[in-house]
Amino acid sequence: MSAPDKSRHYRALFISDVHLGTRGCQADLLLDFLKLNDAETVYLVGDIVDGWRLKRSWYWPQPHNDVVQKILRKGRKGARIVYIPGNHDEFLRDFLGTHFGGVEVTDSIIHETADGRSYLVIHGDQFDVVIRHAKWLAFFGDKAYVTALGLNTWVNFVRRRIGLTYWSLSAWAKLKVKNAVNFIGRFEEALSDEARRQGVHGVICGHIHHAADRDFNGIHYINTGDWVESCTAVAEHHDGTFEVIRWVKPAQADAVPAPAKERPVAA
């Protein structure tokens, strides 16, 4: 699959869990994605900046700054930019209801699709019992996650040298451990219940780094995934349909199978 020769334009784009300020952030791929994909509205669905990590040690290379500038440039060119903070960028929750640099900051928002459906857009950490009731455990889990990402770096260095594609140790582990699978299921159920309580057709969220697009007990549940492991975003087309886009390198485009309802796109 060849790289697209011009920008794609969508009605809306949803991006979450970028974790700018961390070594695991795949800012170069996100920047490439932003260069080739535009939308009338761009929703930043939390954990765009990792305040937790930046508090411990400062890490902000040029590609991370380039991502911020690219998003702000889209706003200057007419796109609506909505920032919904998550737990890693919760410092922005002190600024809910404000605008800065053309960016709206809100805790959640209802998105209306082109075909008249309504979706709750929220990061989702509010429905994570660990974040709500044992934040110390969340910090501990974050440390373990960073360690796993460090191991990923070495594993994938070897894989690239022998011609294999990227493989995520941490994502594999999360899906293989029974408790992690159960957590994902409970999270999806909690978000779907909240969407039902608010009387909307679906929910679009992030937080758990697990992209999804499926029906959950009559509610359309969409998770944007992340830009640390899977490099996924969600797009609403101009007819109101949704798509989970997995952004991969050109050499990997034909080799990386996408999960159900996802489409690989060459970067």
Side-chain angles (χ1 to χ4, degrees):
M1 182 182 296
S2 60
D5 56 3
K6 62 180 180 178
S7 175
R8 291 185 174 92
H9 191 275
Y10 300 97
R11 190 168 182 272
L13 282 172
F14 304 80
I15 299 166
S16 79
D17 298 273
V18 178
H19 292 275
L20 294 170
T22 70
R23 297 182 186 278
C25 170
Q26 299 202 49
D28 288 330
L29 277 179
L30 177 55
L31 185 61
D32 191 55
F33 174 82
L34 291 171
K35 287 177 178 177
L36 293 168
N37 293 274
D38 283 312
E40 296 171 12
T41 304
V42 177
Y43 292 96
L44 306 173
V45 195
D47 287 1
I48 304 302
V49 176
D50 197 317
W52 289 11
R53 206 72 51 77
L54 289 172
K55 282 183 180 179
R56 295 199 292 266
S57 62
W58 186 260
Y59 178 76
W60 196 266
Q62 187 60 45
H64 292 212
N65 195 60
D66 292 342
V67 167
V68 173
Q69 292 302 318
K70 186 64 177 177
I71 292 171
L72 293 175
R73 193 173 299 120
K74 286 183 182 296
R76 290 195 296 270
K77 290 182 176 180
R80 181 188 180 194
I81 311 294
V82 180
Y83 198 133
I84 300 165
N87 50 303
H88 284 261
D89 46 17
E90 61 189 352
F91 61 91
L92 288 172
R93 287 175 173 159
D94 292 335
F95 303 96
L96 298 179
T98 64
H99 291 66
F100 61 93
V103 178
E104 306 171 35
V105 183
T106 183
D107 196 45
S108 65
I109 196 169
I110 301 299
H111 172 74
E112 299 288 343
T113 65
D115 55 0
R117 291 172 295 157
S118 56
Y119 284 75
L120 170 65
V121 186
I122 189 169
H123 180 65
D125 61 295
Q126 302 92 328
F127 299 87
D128 182 339
V129 294
V130 174
I131 296 293
R132 291 177 61 188
H133 303 296
K135 198 168 185 178
W136 66 270
L137 186 57
F139 282 112
F140 177 79
D142 184 59
K143 186 78 172 179
Y145 182 64
V146 172
T147 301
L149 287 175
L151 291 173
N152 273 349
T153 300
W154 290 104
V155 169
N156 284 289
F157 173 77
V158 174
R159 288 176 65 86
R160 283 195 301 271
R161 295 299 290 268
I162 61 177
L164 297 177
T165 59
Y166 179 84
W167 177 77
S168 174
L169 170 65
S170 53
W172 175 84
K174 281 191 294 186
L175 291 177
K176 289 298 181 181
V177 176
K178 181 179 179 181
N179 287 341
V181 174
N182 289 340
F183 167 77
I184 291 173
R186 290 194 298 270
F187 179 84
E188 293 175 342
E189 182 177 9
L191 267 295
S192 298
D193 286 346
E194 178 62 17
R196 187 177 294 106
R197 187 187 70 80
Q198 294 202 25
V200 295
H201 296 87
V203 59
I204 302 171
C205 59
H207 186 56
I208 59 173
H209 294 208
H210 183 65
D213 177 2
R214 67 190 190 89
D215 180 84
F216 197 100
N217 297 329
I219 295 293
H220 189 187
Y221 170 85
I222 301 175
N223 195 296
T224 57
D226 68 281
W227 287 85
V228 177
E229 301 168 75
S230 58
C231 294
T232 52
V234 169
E236 182 201 350
H237 293 273
H238 291 281
D239 62 358
T241 58
F242 286 98
E243 177 184 8
V244 177
I245 302 171
R246 181 182 295 274
W247 199 251
V248 297
K249 296 178 181 179
Q252 299 177 1
D254 295 325
V256 180
K261 294 190 177 182
E262 291 186 17
R263 181 188 65 172
V265 179

